Amino acid sequence: MKVKLTILESRCRGGYHKAGDTYIVEDICPSICHELWQCIYPSVYVLLNNGELDYGSTREKKFQFRCPDQGRVLIQGEVINESESEL
């Protein structure tokens, strides 16, 4: 199981993230801001272990989260299949 993280919006104060950046997570954290990673890790862990999360009024294998620094970055995580991770 793999999780694809996509930066949907970015006004990152540190310049770490740009809209459109993507990361594939299997078991080791990607090179993203540690504050953002600390916040999204529980959701990534759930997805890596075949769980579902509340997503609006449904349960999905994905999430969206805003950066703890005034919401400057919007990131989406979603389960992907093996062929998608090779793109």
Side-chain angles (χ1 to χ4, degrees), residues 33-45:
C33 169
H34 69 277
E35 291 173 354
L36 183 56
W37 178 250
Q38 289 285 355
C39 293
I40 66 170
Y41 175 73
S43 295
V44 171
Y45 184 83

Side-chain angles (χ1 to χ4, degrees), residues 63-82:
F63 67 88
Q64 286 188 2
F65 185 84
R66 286 209 173 266
C67 172
D69 183 14
Q70 299 178 353
R72 295 175 188 271
V73 174
L74 176 62
I75 191 167
Q76 177 174 289
E78 60 190 327
V79 173
I80 58 170
N81 62 43
E82 297 296 318

Side-chain angles (χ1 to χ4, degrees), residues 1-12:
M1 181 116 357
K2 295 181 183 182
V3 173
K4 179 180 177 183
L5 301 174
T6 304
I7 305 297
L8 300 177
E9 299 172 11
S10 181
R11 296 181 329 278
C12 182

Side-chain angles (χ1 to χ4, degrees), residues 45-59:
Y45 184 83
V46 167
L47 296 181
L48 286 173
N49 287 283
N50 204 30
E52 293 180 343
L53 299 162
D54 290 335
Y55 190 78
S57 60
T58 64
R59 301 278 293 170

Side-chain angles (χ1 to χ4, degrees), residues 10-40:
S10 181
R11 296 181 329 278
C12 182
R13 191 166 30 168
Y16 298 117
H17 305 296
K18 295 180 180 31
D21 287 350
T22 60
Y23 308 90
I24 303 298
V25 180
E26 287 183 78
D27 57 359
I28 298 177
C29 67
S31 57
I32 65 173
C33 169
H34 69 277
E35 291 173 354
L36 183 56
W37 178 250
Q38 289 285 355
C39 293
I40 66 170

